Amino acid sequence: VDRAETPVYAAVGLLSATALGLEVLLLRLFSLAHWPFVAHMVISIALLGIGVSGVVIAFWREWLLRNFAQVLPVCGLLLGVAGPVCTSLALKLPLTPEALVWDPLQPALLGASYLLLAIPFLFAATAIGLALIRSGDRPGPIYAADLFGAGLGSVAILALLDSVPPGRALALVGASGLVAGAIGWFGLNDRSRHGASVFVVFAAVVALAPEPLLRPNPSEYKPLTQYLRIPGATVVAERTGAEGVVTAVANESVPLRYAPGMSFVGGREPPSQTAVFLDADSLQAVDAVPDPASLAYLDASAASLPYRLRPPESVLVVSAGSGTEVNRALRSGARRIDALEPSAEILRLIRDDLRAPPLADRGKSVVSVFVTDARHLPNANMGGYDLVVYALPPQTSGQHPMTPAFELTVEALLMLGDRLSGSGILAINLWIDLPARRALRLLSTVTETLRRRGIADPASHIALLRGWQTAVILMSKRPFSPEQIARVRTSMQELALDGVHFPGIDAAETNRYNRLSTDWFREGASALLGPHPDRFIRSYKFHLEPITDARPYLYHDTRWSTLFEGLDLRESGGLALVPPGLLVLVATLVQASVLAALLVLLPMALTSGKTPALAGDPPRIATTIYFSAIGLGFMFFEIAAIQRATLLIGRPTYSAAVVIAGFLLFAGMGALASRRLAQVSAPYPLTGIAVVIAVVGGLIPVGSQLALGLIESWPLWGRIMATLALNAPLAFLLGFPFPAGLATLAVNAPELRPWAWGVNGCASVIGAILAAIVALQIGLDGVTLLAMVLYPVAAAVRLDRQPAR
C-alpha cells in the first residue's frame, strides 16, 4: 500500500459506501412513496449508472486521468448533491403506477424517474473506475477500499434508517459523498484546506437540509393519504426504522371504527380507534379499551370461528400487528398467548406512544410478544398450541407481485403444523377478492400441506367459510368431529357466513347470505378437493398452484393470458384484472432495455470504431454471447439470493442490503484472485470455472433449506452472518469470468474490450428486472437453473480461440 495514496483509498471507500447506502435507501423510499420493496428495479437503476460511467471513461479516458486530482473530488461533490436532489425530484414526480394503462404520461414519468435515479451512481462509478485504471497493475488497495466501503455502507445505512427518518437519511448519505470529495481534494491538491473546506460546508448544508423537503410524498392512492383528507385527522405519533415508517393517526371529530369482516346481523359497535399505517399503507386499528365489554365486536366476524369450535388453552398469533387477534384470543380465555410481530416499530409505537394496554400478563392469561415472524420462532421448542392463527393481513392499496409470502408456503404450514397439539387447528384469516383467487390458492396450499403429511383425505381436515368481506380457512390436525361441524353450522347462522367447504357440507349451506351470481369459491373448492385438482388449476384464469419456498408469490395471481385479456377489456372494466405491480415490471423491463441500449451499448460500439452490426463478425458475436451470458447469469443468481435471504433473515431491507454488499465484496475478491490465477494459467480455464459456478450455484437452493432448519431460532445478526457465509463461495466464483474474459480479449481482440464492457452492462441492467419476471413465472429454482446454464454457455464460445485482430 502506497501511503501517499491514502486519501484516494479513503475517498474511494467513502464513495463506495455512499453509493451502496443510497442503493439500499432507495428500497425504503420506493416503498414509502409508491409500491413495496422491489430490489430488482433499484439494482437495475444502479447498474445503468455504472454502465454509463464506462461509456464516459471510454470516451474521455485520457483527459479524465490527466485531471484525476480534480475529477475525483468533483465526482464526490456531484454525488453528494445529485443523490438527495435527483432522488427527491424523482420521487416527487406525479408518477402513478396504477395509471400506467390509461395515462400516456406515466411511461414517460417512469423513464424520467429511472434516469434521474441513475445519475448519482454515474458519478460514484466514474470516480471509482478512474481510480482503478490509474492504479495500473496494482489495483489491490483500490479494490480493497471499494469493497470495504461497500460493506461499511450496507451496515451504516441500516443503522441510520433505524435512527432517523428517510428524508434525513437521504441528506446524510449525500453529505457522505461530499466528505469523500473533501478527502480527495485535500489529499490530491497539495493539502488545500481552502478547497476542502468548501466541500465540508456543502456537506453541512446538505446534511442539515429540511427533512420534509427530501421526504417523499406517499401516492394519493395510499390509505394514509386518503385518511388524512378526513376533517379532524391528525398524526399523533410516528416511528421510523429500517423496515418502514409507522404512522398513527387519530380523529376526535370522526373517530375510526374499523372492524373488517364484522357480520351485518349482529355484534356491538367497535370502540373509537387510532389508525396505524406502515409506509403510508397497511391500515391497522388500535382499540381504545375503556372496558372489556367494548371488545365484544371481535366475536362477530369470520375470524372468531376457530375460537367457537373449541376454546383454546394456548394460542400462537402470527403477524399480530396492532393486537386485534391477541385481544380476540384473550376474550376466548386462552391461558397462554404467544404473539409474533416482525415490526419492532409497530410494537414500540403502540406501547410507548399510544400507551395502549401492554401486551403482558392479563389476569389469568399470559401474553408473550416476540419481534420475529413465523419462520424464525425464537425458541425451537415452542409448540403444543391448540390454535395457530394468522391474523388478518392489514388493508393495503395492493401487493406487489414480487412480495414473497414465506409465512404461508407449504413448508411454513408444515413447520407450524408441528407446533400444534394433537387436536390443534391452524387458522388463516384473509380478505375476499373477486373473482376468487387468493382464497382458493391458499386452499390449494393447505391441501398440498396435508397431502405431504400423508393424509389421504384432506377434505375431512379442512373448513373454509366466507363473510361479506373476509374469509377463514381452518386446517385441523385431526378430522373435524361431528361436534365441531355442528358448531360450524351454528356459527354460520349466527354470523351470516356462507359455507365454502367443510365435511358434510350441503349445497343449501353455500351462497346464502353473501350471494354471488357465480359462486367461484364453492366451485373452486370442490374442484381443488376433488380427484383431479391439477386439471382445474391449469384451466383457471388465475394462478392457483400451491405456494412454496421456491415459488412464494401469493400476490402474483394473474396469468399472462388474463393480463392481456384485462388490457383488451380496459374500457369495459377489465382493468380490475390488471395488477399495477406486474405492469410496472414489464414497463421497467422495456424502458431499461431501451435506455441501456442507447446509453451503454451504442456508445460502446462507436468507441470500438465499428457499427453495432454483428453479422459476419465472429469475434464480436462470441464476445456478445460471452459477456451477455455472464451479465445475465450474475444478476439471476443475485436476485434469487435476495429472495432466499428474505426467507433466511426475515427482513426484506436487511436481506437486500446483506446480499448486495456480500455479492460485491466476495465477487470483488474473486476478481482479484482471478488476476493472479490468470498469471499462472494461460489460456485461462473459463470452462472449468463455469462448471464450478454451475455446481456451486445448484447447491444454493438445497443449502438454503438446510440452513433455515438450523438458524430459524438464531438472533438477527446470526442469521445475517449465516446468509453471508452461504452466498460467499458462489459470489467469490462469480468474480472470475468478467476480468478473465477481458484479459483474454486483451490478447486476442483488444479493440473489443469497450464493446464487452457495454454488452455486460446492458445485460446486467436488463437481467435485474428479467430475473424478477422469470422468478414469477418459474420460481426461484428456475431462475437459479437458468443462471447455472448461462455460465457454461459463456464458456462454450471460447474467447481464447478467437483469432487475433
Side-chain angles (χ1 to χ4, degrees):
V1 176
D2 186 349
R3 291 187 178 181
E5 292 289 292
T6 299
V8 178
Y9 305 148
V12 166
L14 195 50
L15 286 170
S16 178
T18 301
L20 188 65
L22 180 61
E23 190 172 349
V24 175
L25 181 57
L26 285 178
L27 301 176
R28 295 293 324 117
L29 296 173
F30 270 54
S31 181
L32 183 58
H34 295 300
W35 52 89
F37 140 77
V38 264
H40 51 275
M41 182 174 174
V42 174
I43 293 171
S44 179
I45 290 168
L47 289 170
L48 179 62
I50 294 170
V52 175
S53 76
V55 175
V56 171
I57 293 174
F59 271 100
W60 295 289
R61 171 174 171 163
E62 298 304 322
W63 184 90
L64 291 171
L65 287 173
R66 282 199 309 270
N67 297 278
F68 179 77
Q70 292 77 41
V71 171
L72 176 66
V74 169
C75 282
L77 170 67
L78 294 174
L79 170 62
V81 174
V85 171
C86 291
T87 301
S88 182
L89 288 175
L91 293 173
K92 282 181 168 56
L93 290 173
L95 177 64
T96 308
E98 296 85 350
L100 273 171
V101 177
W102 67 81
D103 185 354
L105 182 62
Q106 292 304 315
L109 290 173
L110 182 62
S113 173
Y114 212 88
L115 287 172
L116 279 169
L117 293 169
I119 290 173
F121 299 102
L122 163 64
F123 296 130
T126 298
I128 296 171
L130 283 173
L132 285 168
I133 293 173
R134 177 176 172 269
S135 64
D137 60 353
R138 299 179 61 85
I142 296 294
Y143 262 116
D146 182 23
L147 300 175
F148 178 79
L152 175 65
S154 66
V155 173
I157 192 61
L158 294 176
L160 197 60
L161 284 169
D162 271 331
S163 307
V164 300
R168 177 62 55 215
L170 180 58
L172 293 173
V173 166
S176 69
L178 285 156
V179 171
I183 294 172
W185 187 275
F186 182 77
L188 294 172
N189 291 275
D190 298 324
R191 308 290 180 181
S192 173
R193 292 185 175 87
H194 177 71
S197 64
V198 173
F199 286 84
V200 173
V201 169
F202 267 101
V205 170
V206 171
L208 298 175
E211 198 272 337
L213 187 65
L214 298 175
R215 184 173 185 162
N217 297 320
S219 164
E220 62 178 335
Y221 290 90
K222 286 207 166 186
L224 175 60
T225 306
Q226 299 173 20
Y227 192 70
L228 287 175
R229 292 172 179 164
I230 301 173
T234 305
V235 175
V236 295
E238 190 168 80
R239 291 266 174 171
T240 186
E243 293 298 329
V245 176
V246 183
T247 308
V249 182
N251 194 327
E252 295 183 2
S253 303
V254 187
L256 175 68
R257 300 189 190 278
Y258 182 64
M262 183 174 175
S263 173
F264 55 78
V265 298
R268 291 187 51 169
E269 182 182 77
S272 63
Q273 300 165 321
T274 300
V276 175
F277 302 88
L278 177 62
D279 281 342
D281 207 342
S282 305
L283 169 64
Q284 302 180 68
V286 177
D287 292 309
V289 191
D291 64 87
S294 65
L295 296 180
Y297 80 96
L298 295 174
D299 303 331
S301 70
S304 68
L305 182 63
Y307 301 96
R308 292 167 175 260
L309 299 190
R310 189 191 71 170
E313 286 288 316
S314 56
V315 179
L316 175 65
V317 178
V318 178
S319 300
S322 60
T324 298
E325 198 59 45
V326 172
N327 286 332
R328 187 176 281 115
L330 287 167
R331 285 187 59 78
S332 76
R335 298 296 185 92
R336 169 193 168 203
I337 304 170
D338 292 339
L340 312 179
E341 171 50 46
S343 173
E345 288 71 39
I346 288 179
L347 295 176
R348 293 189 189 112
L349 181 138
I350 294 172
R351 181 193 63 201
D352 301 334
D353 299 323
L354 301 183
R355 299 190 181 279
L359 297 180
D361 291 357
R362 305 280 188 90
K364 295 181 180 180
S365 300
V366 177
V367 180
S368 303
V369 183
F370 304 95
V371 183
T372 187
D373 58 75
R375 301 304 295 268
H376 302 99
L377 298 182
N379 185 343
N381 297 319
M382 290 174 69
Y385 297 105
D386 296 325
L387 175 64
V388 172
V389 56
Y390 284 82
L392 185 71
Q395 186 177 16
T396 69
S397 55
Q399 290 281 359
H400 194 279
M402 275 297 290
T403 303
F406 285 116
E407 291 190 347
L408 287 165
T409 62
V410 170
E411 293 84 352
L413 299 186
L414 285 169
M415 184 197 78
L416 289 178
D418 291 336
R419 303 295 193 271
L420 290 172
S421 63
S423 58
I425 291 175
L426 185 146
I428 303 173
N429 294 297
L430 61 147
W431 295 91
I432 293 289
D433 51 9
L434 297 174
R437 44 199 187 276
R438 288 173 198 160
L440 294 181
R441 195 168 196 188
L442 286 173
L443 176 62
S444 173
T445 304
V446 169
T447 303
E448 176 63 19
T449 301
L450 291 168
R451 288 193 175 116
R452 289 197 190 183
R453 284 285 182 206
I455 295 174
D457 181 24
S460 63
H461 295 252
I462 294 174
L464 170 56
L465 291 91
R466 64 178 177 89
W468 68 276
Q469 192 181 25
T470 64
V472 61
I473 299 176
L474 305 182
M475 182 184 80
S476 177
K477 207 163 186 180
R478 296 175 181 171
F480 284 106
S481 66
E483 293 79 12
Q484 289 175 317
I485 294 171
R487 288 174 187 157
V488 168
R489 289 191 163 105
T490 300
S491 300
M492 289 169 59
Q493 294 178 353
E494 293 176 351
L495 302 177
L497 298 177
D498 290 298
V500 177
H501 170 79
F502 56 83
I505 189 172
D506 188 86
E509 296 174 306
T510 67
N511 208 28
R512 285 191 299 179
Y513 302 106
N514 310 282
R515 295 184 62 83
L516 301 172
S517 58
T518 301
D519 192 354
W520 294 289
F521 296 93
R522 175 59 184 162
E523 292 180 4
S526 298
L528 291 172
L529 293 168
H532 303 292
D534 293 341
R535 199 176 296 169
F536 177 74
I537 289 173
R538 287 193 299 268
S539 64
Y540 203 65
K541 283 185 176 292
F542 298 92
H543 288 294
L544 298 183
E545 301 85 355
I547 60 170
T548 63
D549 285 350
R551 300 186 69 174
Y553 306 113
L554 172 64
Y555 303 103
H556 174 56
D557 48 35
T558 304
R559 297 186 186 275
W560 291 108
S561 58
T562 306
L563 173 67
F564 295 132
E565 182 180 343
L567 291 174
D568 290 339
L569 298 174
R570 60 184 177 275
E571 296 180 359
S572 305
L575 289 180
L577 305 178
V578 180
L582 195 56
L583 282 180
V584 171
L585 271 178
V586 175
T588 305
L589 176 62
V590 172
Q591 292 197 342
S593 301
V594 172
L595 291 173
L598 291 178
L599 300 179
V600 180
L601 203 58
L602 181 59
M604 284 297 185
L606 296 176
T607 60
S608 65
K610 302 276 289 185
T611 64
L614 299 178
D617 193 347
R620 187 179 289 257
I621 292 174
T623 301
T624 302
I625 293 173
Y626 179 86
F627 286 94
S628 294
I630 64 173
L632 289 172
F634 188 99
M635 296 316 304
F636 279 26
F637 274 130
E638 186 173 22
I639 294 298
I642 289 174
Q643 293 284 289
R644 289 195 178 93
T646 304
L647 171 62
L648 295 173
I649 296 174
R651 300 189 181 185
T653 304
Y654 280 80
S655 303
V658 167
V659 171
I660 293 170
F663 265 62
L664 282 173
L665 176 65
F666 294 111
M669 292 180 178
L672 285 175
S674 73
R675 291 174 179 269
R676 296 182 180 180
L677 185 59
Q679 294 173 358
V680 299
S681 178
Y684 191 78
L686 296 176
T687 303
I689 291 295
V691 171
V692 174
I693 287 174
V695 172
V696 173
L699 294 175
I700 293 294
V702 177
S704 296
Q705 287 297 325
L706 292 175
L708 180 63
L710 294 173
I711 70 175
E712 65 177 9
S713 60
W714 287 14
L716 177 63
W717 68 267
R719 301 199 301 270
I720 288 174
M721 297 305 296
T723 302
L724 279 173
L726 178 68
N727 289 319
L730 175 62
F732 179 79
L733 291 168
L734 293 178
F736 280 59
F738 183 75
L742 287 180
T744 305
L745 283 182
V747 175
N748 294 280
E751 75 280 4
L752 288 180
R753 285 181 296 175
W755 174 254
W757 180 282
V759 167
N760 184 259
C762 199
S764 299
V765 170
I766 296 169
I769 303 167
L770 185 61
I773 295 176
V774 172
L776 293 178
Q777 201 65 24
I778 61 175
L780 296 176
D781 291 348
V783 174
T784 301
L785 179 61
L786 285 176
M788 292 167 57
V789 171
L790 283 166
Y791 278 91
V793 167
V797 303
R798 299 302 300 269
L799 292 177
D800 53 314
R801 291 184 179 177
Q802 292 189 80
R805 304 281 296 179

